[in-house]
C-alpha cells in the first residue's frame, strides 16, 4: 500500500510510544478485551471521537483530509502520537461521502466538514432511479477504504482499525431531505420502509468493503436516527428493520460486531431502559450516553442491561469541558465519573469526549488522557 516518509515515521513513533508506555495492554488488546471478551482490561478504554481535530498537528485543511487518504492517515497518526487515546475514526465527513455519490450536492468548505445540501429524491418515484454503489470506485469512498487499509498495515498490530460510515437513517434523511423524511414517516410509511431498506443495502456494501480492507469492526454514525425524531412505534417499525438487516449481514463477519450511534435525545425517551434493551436485541454492541444532559439516566441500570447482552456503554464528556475547564477540573471530572459509574463494569465501559473539535484545548485533552490512566486502572 502506498505510504510516505511522514506516515512511516509517525507509525514507528506510535509503536515506540505504545511499547514504552508502561501499560500492560496495547490499545488493540484493550479493545478485544472489552469489546469482544468483556473482561476487565488493564485500564478503562479511552474512547475518543476526534474526526478532524488533530489536523493542526500536520497543518492540513479539512478538505485535504476529505480527499487524500495519505493526509488523513498523517493527521490520525499524529493525533495518536500526541494524545495516546485508544481509538481510530477512519473518515472525517462521514455524513457526506455516500450522499455525494448518489447525487446529493455537497458544500465542501476548505476547512470545515462537508455538509449535504439539496436532496435528490424529490418525489418517492425517484428512489427507483438510484443505483447501488461500488465502494472501490465511487466518489471518495476509495479515500476511506485506502485509509483503513494503510492504517491496518502500519499500526494494525497495536491499534483497532474501526470502519466508520453513515448509518441508514442519516443517509435516508440526506437523500430525501430532513423535513420530507419526517413527513414521509407519518404519511408514507411504506415508502419510508423501502427507502430505509435501500439505505441498509448501501450501508452493507460499504461495511463489507471496510471489513475486506482490514477494519476490525463497524461503527455507524446515525445521529439522525435518534428517538427524538419519531415516536417509539415509528422507531421500532421503521428504523429497527434497517438496523437488523445490517446486523444480519455484517455482525457475523467481525467479532466486535456492529455499533450505531443513534442515541441523541435518549433523555427524552419515556422508558430509557426499554429503549436500551430493544437496541441491544436488534444487535447494537455499543450504546452512547452523552453528558451532562443525560445524567438523569440511571446509568448503572443501563450498564446492567448492556452487560446482560454483552454490549458496552460509551460514556461521553461534553465538548464544552474541553474548551472551558481547567486541567484540575478535567482531572476531577474524570475521577468522579469513573468512581461513580465504571466500578464493576470495566469490561463494558468506554469513556471519552463526545467530540473533540476546534474549540478543544490540547492541554485539556492531555489532562483527560492522563486522568484516564491515573484513575482508570483496573485491579
Amino acid at each position: 500500500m502506498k505510504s510516505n516518509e511522514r506516515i512511516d515515521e509517525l507509525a514507528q513513533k506510535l509503536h515506540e510510544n505504545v511499547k514504552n508506555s508502561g501499560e500492560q495492554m496495547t490499545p488493540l488488546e484493550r479493545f478485544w478485551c472489552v469489546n469482544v471478551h468483556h473482561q476487565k482490561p488493564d485500564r478503562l478504554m479511552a474512547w475518543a471521537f476526534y474526526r478532524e481535530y488533530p489536523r493542526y498537528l500536520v497543518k492540513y485543511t479539512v478538505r485535504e483530509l476529505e480527499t487524500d487518504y495519505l493526509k488523513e492517515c498523517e493527521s490520525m497518526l499524529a493525533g495518536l502520537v500526541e494524545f495516546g487515546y485508544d481509538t481510530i475514526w477512519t473518515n472525517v465527513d462521514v455524513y457526506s461521502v455516500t450522499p455525494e455519490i448518489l447525487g446529493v450536492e455537497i458544500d465542501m468548505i476548505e476547512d470545515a466538514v462537508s455538509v449535504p445540501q439539496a436532496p435528490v429524491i424529490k418525489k418517492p418515484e425517484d428512489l427507483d432511479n438510484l443505483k447501488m454503489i461500488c465502494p472501490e470506485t465511487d466518489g471518495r469512498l476509495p479515500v476511506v477504504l485506502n485509509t483503513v487499509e494503510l492504517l491496518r498495515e502500519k499500526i494494525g498490530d497495536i491499534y483497532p482499525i474501526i470502519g466508520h460510515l453513515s448509518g441508514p437513517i442519516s443517509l435516508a434523511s440526506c437523500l430525501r431531505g430532513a423535513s420530507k423524511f419526517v413527513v414521509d414517516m407519518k404519511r408514507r410509511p411504506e415508502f419510508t420502509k423501502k427507502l430505509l431498506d435501500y439505505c441498509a443495502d448501501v450501508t452493507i456494501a460499504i461495511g463489507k468493503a471496510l471489513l475486506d480492507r482490514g477494519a476490525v469492526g463497524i461503527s455507524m454514525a446515525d445521529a439522525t436516527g435518534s428517538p427524538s425524531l419519531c415516536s417509539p412505534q415509528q422507531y421500532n417499525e421503521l428504523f429497527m428493520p434497517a438496523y437488523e438487516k445490517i446486523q444480519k449481514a455484517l455482525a457475523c463477519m467481525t467479532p466486535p460486531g456492529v455499533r450505531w450511534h443513534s442515541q441523541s435525545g435518549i433523555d427524552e425517551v419515556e422508558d430509557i431502559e426499554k429503549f436500551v434493551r430493544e437496541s441491544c436485541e436488534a444487535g447494537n454492541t455499543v450504546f452512547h450516553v452523552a453528558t451532562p444532559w443525560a445524567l438523569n439516566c440511571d446509568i448503572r441500570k443501563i450498564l446492567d442491561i448492556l452487560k446482560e447482552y454483552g454490549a458496552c456503554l460509551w460514556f461521553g464528556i461534553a465538548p464544552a469541558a474541553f474548551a472551558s475547564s481547567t486541567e484540575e477540573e478535567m482531572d476531577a471530572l474524570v475521577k468522579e465519573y469513573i468512581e461513580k459509574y465504571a466500578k464493576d463494569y470495566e469490561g463494558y465501559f468506554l469513556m471519552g469526549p463526545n467530540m473533540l473539535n476546534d474549540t478543544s484545548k490540547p492541554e485539556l485533552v492531555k489532562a483527560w488522557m492522563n486522568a484516564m490512566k491515573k484513575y482508570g486502572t483496573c485491579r
Side-chain angles (χ1 to χ4, degrees):
M1 187 73 189
K2 180 183 177 182
S3 182
N4 62 36
E5 184 176 349
R6 195 176 194 183
I7 287 173
D8 294 343
E9 290 174 351
L10 287 166
Q12 182 179 352
K13 178 62 175 174
L14 189 59
H15 274 88
E16 292 172 357
N17 287 359
V18 171
K19 181 180 179 180
N20 299 323
S21 67
E23 296 192 292
Q24 180 182 345
M25 294 181 174
T26 66
L28 178 61
E29 291 168 339
R30 199 170 290 120
F31 176 85
W32 289 116
C33 182
V34 173
N35 289 273
V36 177
H37 302 294
H38 301 296
Q39 300 296 313
K40 186 180 291 189
D42 60 335
R43 68 158 166 80
L44 296 177
M45 276 198 68
W47 190 274
F49 184 36
Y50 49 88
R51 302 198 313 177
E52 75 279 9
Y53 175 69
R55 74 189 185 283
Y56 75 93
L57 296 166
V58 289
K59 296 180 172 56
Y60 292 134
T61 64
V62 172
R63 181 193 288 264
E64 289 175 302
L65 302 184
E66 292 179 352
T67 56
D68 188 328
Y69 78 93
L70 294 173
K71 292 177 179 176
E72 187 174 3
C73 284
E74 286 181 32
S75 178
M76 283 188 286
L77 288 169
L80 293 172
V81 169
E82 182 76 3
F83 300 111
Y85 29 58
D86 293 321
T87 51
I88 290 175
W89 297 88
T90 48
N91 61 307
V92 175
D93 56 333
V94 65
Y95 287 118
S96 70
V97 174
T98 311
E100 182 182 34
I101 294 168
L102 296 169
V104 174
E105 181 181 344
I106 301 298
D107 185 9
M108 184 179 284
I109 303 171
E110 188 65 29
D111 207 24
V113 175
S114 295
V115 178
Q117 299 293 301
V120 293
I121 301 178
K122 306 293 185 181
K123 54 186 183 299
E125 306 86 76
D126 293 339
L127 175 58
D128 296 329
N129 298 325
L130 294 184
K131 62 177 182 177
M132 179 48 60
I133 63 169
C134 178
E136 293 290 342
T137 59
D138 284 354
R140 288 177 289 130
L141 277 175
V143 174
V144 180
L145 298 179
N146 289 339
T147 300
V148 168
E149 183 173 349
L150 184 55
L151 288 174
R152 179 64 184 265
E153 177 183 318
K154 295 298 179 181
I155 61 169
D157 58 329
I158 56 172
Y159 263 86
I161 313 303
I162 304 168
H164 196 205
L165 72 165
S166 175
I169 304 359
S170 296
L171 176 57
S173 181
C174 289
L175 296 176
R176 179 63 167 145
S179 297
K180 287 186 177 180
F181 181 69
V182 172
V183 172
D184 287 338
M185 287 193 293
K186 176 67 174 178
R187 296 183 179 178
R188 305 177 188 89
E190 293 307 312
F191 164 70
T192 303
K193 291 178 182 178
K194 183 179 178 181
L195 173 59
L196 290 174
D197 188 67
Y198 167 80
C199 291
D201 287 339
V202 171
T203 304
I204 290 167
I206 300 173
K208 287 182 176 178
L210 288 166
L211 294 171
D212 287 344
R213 289 292 197 99
V216 300
I218 296 297
S219 174
M220 295 188 295
D222 212 14
T224 303
S226 70
S228 58
L229 183 71
C230 59
S231 69
Q233 181 179 350
Q234 288 174 318
Y235 193 97
N236 287 327
E237 292 180 357
L238 299 177
F239 294 0
M240 282 299 194
Y243 289 136
E244 289 170 344
K245 184 175 187 178
I246 294 166
Q247 288 286 341
K248 185 176 181 180
L250 298 179
C252 60
M253 300 175 67
T254 171
V258 180
R259 64 166 292 269
W260 64 81
H261 171 225
S262 63
Q263 288 89 47
S264 301
I266 182 179
D267 46 320
E268 299 177 17
V269 176
E270 184 175 347
D271 189 340
I272 295 175
E273 287 77 23
K274 181 174 182 290
F275 178 77
V276 173
R277 187 175 295 277
E278 290 172 345
S279 180
C280 289
E281 288 178 352
N284 198 0
T285 61
V286 177
F287 199 85
H288 181 212
V289 172
T291 59
W293 45 88
L295 283 176
N296 290 329
C297 305
D298 187 337
I299 292 176
R300 293 182 74 85
K301 184 177 289 186
I302 290 174
L303 276 160
D304 280 333
I305 297 172
L306 296 175
K307 191 173 183 179
E308 179 183 341
Y309 286 90
C312 295
L313 176 73
W314 171 19
F315 186 77
I317 296 175
F322 289 88
S324 58
S325 301
T326 65
E327 293 178 45
E328 292 75 17
E329 289 170 338
M330 178 62 72
D331 183 272
L333 185 63
V334 172
K335 180 182 180 182
E336 176 192 350
Y337 286 167
I338 289 176
E339 291 179 349
K340 190 172 183 179
Y341 302 116
K343 183 174 173 54
D344 300 325
Y345 298 96
E346 292 88 347
Y348 302 85
F349 194 91
L350 320 169
M351 183 168 157
N354 284 331
M355 182 184 294
L356 297 176
N357 54 45
D358 288 353
T359 68
S360 304
K361 297 178 180 178
E363 62 269 25
L364 293 177
V365 180
K366 291 180 179 179
W368 159 71
M369 193 65 225
N370 289 336
M372 288 293 295
K373 292 179 178 180
K374 186 193 312 184
Y375 305 116
T377 301
C378 303
R379 295 179 175 83

